[in-house]
Every structure is written in C-alpha cells, then in structure tokens.
Amino acid sequence: MKHLISIEDLSKSDIERILNLAEYLIPVAEGKKRMEIMRGKILANLFFEPSTRTRMSFEVAMKRLGGEVVNLTSQEASSIAKGENLADTIRVISGYADVIVIRHSLEGAAKFAAENSSVPVINAGDGAGQHPTQTLLDLFTLRREAKLENVKIALVGDLKYSRTVHSLVKALKLYNAKIYYVCPDTLMLPEELVEEVGGERVALEDIISEVDAIYVTRIQKERFPDEEEYRKVAGSYVITSKILENAKEDLIIMHPLPRVDEITFDVDKTKHAVYYKQAFYGVPVRMAILCEVVEWSN
Amino acid sequence: MEQLTISKIREGTVIDHINAGKAPLVLKILGIDKGSKETVSLAMNVPSKKMGKKDIVKVEGKFLGEEELNKIALIAPGATINIIKDYKIVKKFKVTPPEKLEGILRCPNRNCISNAEREPITPKFKIVKKSTLFAVCEYCGRRFSNFEDNLE
C-alpha cells in the first residue's frame, strides 16, 4: 500500500498520470457527467485543524465519484485529543474507512498516521510541512492556464512558513522552472530548500514583464514580533492592477486562498486572476488522487 | 616513563581517539549508565600526539556491534574501535556515521510529531554527509547538525 504524504513520494510520471486523470475528470467535477468509481468506498476526513477548501473539496471529490464521506472536524478532534492519541485514533478509523485524509498541526503527523493505518493516508497539510494535494492542483493550474515545463514563476509573500510553497518548489524543480522569490528578509524560503531547488531573490518590478505566473501567499501577521514590523512589509507585497501594467498578456496570478489584502479586488476582474479556477481545480485533482491511492491499495 | 592511565582489559571494546571531553556523551550514545552491568573505564584529557588531548572509553566484557558503535561518529568522528579478546586486539576500525538512525537523537523542531507526548513514536533520522555531517528528521524534514544538543 502506498500513501501520499509528500510531493516527493511521486515521480514526474506519477504526477503526469494524476494530472491527466484530473483533466479527464473535469466534467465529473462540474457535475456534468456522473461516475461511480468510488461506490461503496468511504473516505474519512480527519481535520485536526480547521479547513474549508481542502476538506470540502475532498468531500465533493469523493461524493462526485459516488463514494461516501465521514468527517472529524477540529471541534471533535479536540475532544478526541483529550483521551486518545493520534496513533490509536488512526488505528481505529482505518478500520472504518477505505481511505483517510488528514490535516494536523504537527509536522510529520501524516507520515506517522500512515505508519499506523491499514488504509491509504493522504496528507492534507501538516503544520508548516507538506501539502502535496495543494501542490498537485497548483501544477494542474499552471499546466492548464499557463505552462508547466520551463515556467518562469514568482513566489510572493510568506515563503518561510507557507507549506504550499515548500511543496510547490520541490515539484517545480522537476519541470525545470525558473523560480523568483519576492519576500521580506524575515520570510525567505528556508535555506536548505533554496539550496535544493535554486532560484533567486528579486523585486517584483524587475521581473514582472518576464514571468508566466505569480504565486501569491498571505503574509501572516501573527508571525511578526510587532504589528509595526508587519505593516512595513505587508504594504510592499500587494498585487494591484497597476503593477500588472507591465506584465505579459498571458501572465496568471495564483493564490492558494484565503486571501486577505495581498491582491486588490480590482485584480479579480482581470484575465490574469486564476485563483478561483485554481480552487475549483482542487476537486478534479483530488478525485484523481483518490482514484490513484485506492488503486494503490488494491 | 610512560604511565598507563587505565589498565588493559581482557575482553571487550576500547573506544579510542574520542575528542577530549566527549567520553560521557559516548557512554550516553551507547546507553551505558549507572544501571548498566558492564565494567567501564573512562579516561579524559589523555595526552595524544595526533589530537593534543583525547578521551578513551573501555567497556569490559561487552562486544558492541559495529552499527551501534558507528553512532559515535556523530559526536566523535575520528574515534577508533578496538575489539579485545584475551588482551589482544582482534579487530580495529574507524567509526563511520550510520545512514539511518532510530532513537538517540530528538528532533529540534518542537512542532514535530516525533516530540509529541503520548504517541508511540521513535524519532528516525537520515544521516547525510555533505560539507558537514547532519541529520534529517524523517517525520518533519528538519535538518540539523548540533547532535550534542539533541541527544535524548
């Protein structure tokens, strides 16, 4: 049995297979076509941290494929935590379900869950660690809306704590991407990751006319020692339609969402904004992932 | 006249060329403490031509496995191991860091699942040698080289 814990669990051909299947499943994700591949299967959504998009998109993905879903939300999770450890919780729930999706605040929790599970485990985000399903939908978005091979991409915002960015840069390396980092000193990507994947730090204005994609993340106010420090950097990483005047015609702007104020509302109306489509792509991509892991378990 | 700091052992393991001051950590890595049965001799700050000063640990009546001994490379990379039988060295080798390590170290990332209380979990690490030796936590991916600060 195989689990999906890190994007590094997948080879480039695994990724291509999942993205191709996701492409095929788009009409099913849209509800235009019916499919019952998961009939009789149960997905356990274990969210020890609150989530809207990831949890719901997994739920929708499973239901659109004819399967069923049981949920453990953060409220119930906190009561479980009072009396039962994660290992026992997973051992019990893997007896109830055919596949487990887990989000947890501790890094490595999904790997540990997989070690204690008798069914496939999918990591839906562990602390500041990995978020491989988000990465797959990000790759899918790039492939559909811009390009994936040799893409020039600027990563903007909090690159230090963003698990979506940590997973994404590893995958982009497989596609010979040119990566630019746009962030304050204090929020730069961890050094070992830069060593591994390359890329350079730049000012957005200097490369805006060259890049195919901008991937924006929220600068997390709670990470700053004082609010004044946050205010200094927050304003300098806002994507506005004015900044985009020098951009390529077909530049796309991505964001894993939720957005706070790092992209102004006027950008939403431009053809560059693909973040809502990106969120939708979570459904077909997660459908493809479910098919893949259930296949692995067989 | 040269004077023997600690006497020879009849059978067991001698760990020589330990960086001065690290002998207690070597014992910790090998799990030898006051509850252990073995007779242990320990010499610290012994004059050494190669190292200036060195530590030596002699464990009487116990043959430690090569894999177990290689863990010593994390804190004393130049250590040499002598396996003694009937007062003679029957095997001698230098420690080499293990490729994988379970236990002994704890992950410095406080937000790593391997540090969670009440979970039946043993910390696991890959040991990687680039310009320096470092450990990578198999759970959270944290990379670190300050082994002494992170011994269990």
Side-chain angles (χ1 to χ4, degrees):
Chain A
M1 181 177 38
K2 235 166 119 181
H3 310 274
L4 180 55
I5 305 303
S6 158
I7 194 69
E8 289 165 294
D9 295 341
L10 302 175
S11 66
K12 192 173 175 182
S13 65
D14 289 333
I15 292 173
E16 295 293 324
R17 192 175 59 249
I18 292 170
L19 301 191
N20 291 342
L21 182 56
E23 190 76 47
Y24 174 76
L25 290 169
I26 282 182
V28 186
E30 290 171 332
K32 291 175 183 164
K33 197 173 154 187
R34 286 185 64 82
M35 214 171 238
E36 300 283 319
I37 302 171
M38 292 289 157
R39 179 180 279 278
K41 302 278 185 196
I42 294 174
L43 159 70
N45 249 339
L46 309 188
F47 279 70
F48 293 84
E49 271 192 335
S51 160
T52 309
R53 282 157 299 278
T54 307
R55 187 179 61 76
M56 284 185 72
S57 63
F58 263 113
E59 186 159 353
V60 169
M62 191 65 177
K63 287 180 172 173
R64 292 277 197 212
L65 291 173
E68 291 182 63
V69 181
V70 289
N71 277 294
L72 181 139
T73 64
S74 54
Q75 203 179 351
E76 291 144 358
S78 64
S79 67
I80 278 184
K82 284 177 195 165
E84 192 177 53
N85 59 21
L86 178 63
D88 282 357
T89 304
I90 295 295
R91 284 168 192 160
V92 170
I93 291 174
S94 65
Y96 300 161
D98 301 286
V99 55
I100 289 175
V101 172
I102 182 172
R103 169 166 293 183
H104 202 281
S105 60
L106 295 179
E107 285 135 47
K111 180 178 166 65
F112 181 57
E115 288 174 356
N116 286 284
S117 176
S118 55
V119 298
V121 171
I122 299 171
N123 185 3
D126 56 344
Q130 292 276 323
H131 197 356
T133 68
Q134 176 72 42
T135 299
L136 286 164
L137 80 88
D138 291 341
L139 297 176
F140 189 68
T141 307
L142 279 168
R143 193 172 88 160
R144 281 204 118 220
E145 305 295 333
K147 64 176 186 173
L148 195 44
E149 207 73 56
N150 302 314
V151 66
K152 286 187 181 174
I153 184 167
L155 306 173
V156 180
D158 174 3
L159 311 184
K160 183 175 183 179
Y161 299 105
S162 166
R163 58 189 169 205
T164 62
V165 167
H166 297 177
S167 289
L168 181 61
V169 290
K170 288 185 179 184
L172 286 173
K173 194 184 163 198
L174 299 173
Y175 292 94
N176 198 30
K178 175 82 182 156
I179 306 173
Y180 297 104
Y181 305 110
V182 181
C183 62
D185 289 344
T186 46
L187 293 178
M188 180 54 181
L189 199 73
E191 202 182 316
E192 60 261 35
L193 259 180
V194 180
E195 246 176 59
E196 188 183 332
V197 303
E200 58 182 293
R201 247 185 105 194
V202 293
L204 187 59
E205 297 74 27
D206 295 342
I207 42 96
I208 188 78
S209 60
E210 290 174 37
V211 289
D212 305 301
I214 299 176
Y215 191 99
V216 190
T217 61
R218 180 171 71 92
I219 293 191
Q220 298 162 89
K221 197 174 173 180
E222 61 274 20
R223 307 284 188 195
F224 284 80
D226 68 69
E227 204 169 317
E228 190 47 40
E229 283 299 306
Y230 164 74
R231 282 185 199 287
K232 273 186 212 164
V233 294
S236 52
Y237 298 96
V238 174
I239 307 297
T240 61
S241 50
K242 187 164 184 346
I243 290 173
L244 299 174
E245 280 171 7
N246 296 324
K248 282 166 76 168
E249 275 282 292
D250 51 359
L251 164 88
I252 64 166
I253 301 169
M254 298 167 68
H255 192 305
L257 303 177
R259 162 184 54 179
V260 182
D261 52 11
E262 55 278 5
I263 302 174
T264 55
F265 293 125
D266 56 341
V267 175
D268 298 355
K269 297 183 196 103
T270 70
K271 60 189 173 203
H272 304 298
V274 302
Y275 25 91
Y276 300 118
K277 270 189 188 171
Q278 183 186 358
F280 163 72
Y281 291 147
V283 177
V285 168
R286 290 184 170 115
M287 290 165 104
I289 292 165
L290 287 170
C291 293
E292 187 85 355
V293 295
V294 169
E295 178 67 24
W296 288 338
S297 73
N298 292 336
Chain B
M1 192 172 79
E2 197 175 311
Q3 193 182 338
L4 273 180
T5 314
I6 46 177
S7 58
K8 286 187 170 184
I9 60 172
R10 194 167 70 85
E11 281 200 336
T13 308
V14 174
I15 306 156
D16 198 357
H17 302 109
I18 302 167
N19 308 48
K22 307 278 185 184
L25 290 174
V26 166
L27 293 181
K28 197 172 178 182
I29 281 181
L30 297 177
I32 296 171
D33 57 23
K34 62 183 178 184
S36 303
K37 290 175 189 163
E38 302 84 12
T39 303
V40 178
S41 311
L42 183 150
M44 291 179 73
N45 300 320
V46 177
S48 160
K49 279 183 192 168
K50 278 187 199 167
M51 303 172 74
K53 281 181 177 181
K54 66 176 181 179
D55 289 0
I56 304 169
V57 168
K58 298 187 178 189
V59 187
E60 178 82 57
K62 184 167 182 173
F63 298 103
L64 297 155
E66 194 160 339
E67 197 181 325
E68 197 177 4
L69 289 162
N70 282 341
K71 292 169 187 168
I72 294 166
L74 299 177
I75 55 135
T80 50
I81 309 296
N82 301 288
I83 307 295
I84 312 290
K85 278 188 183 165
D86 203 18
Y87 297 106
K88 286 180 186 160
I89 298 170
V90 292
K91 191 178 177 190
K92 185 171 185 167
F93 59 92
K94 270 188 155 320
V95 289
T96 50
E99 287 180 6
K100 293 198 170 216
L101 193 66
E102 288 201 11
I104 297 179
L105 297 176
R106 61 177 170 271
C107 179
N109 176 8
R110 284 192 297 175
N111 205 42
C112 175
I113 187 78
S114 67
N115 288 320
E117 285 177 28
R118 299 180 54 252
E119 295 294 350
I121 187 166
T122 306
K124 292 181 203 164
F125 305 92
K126 274 184 206 153
I127 304 296
V128 181
K129 188 166 185 171
K130 279 196 176 168
S131 53
T132 179
L133 195 65
F134 59 88
V136 183
C137 174
E138 288 205 8
Y139 286 98
C140 74
R142 176 67 65 89
R143 191 172 92 153
F144 61 100
S145 53
N146 47 340
F147 302 116
E148 290 178 38
D149 298 342
N150 294 294
L151 284 173
E152 283 274 21

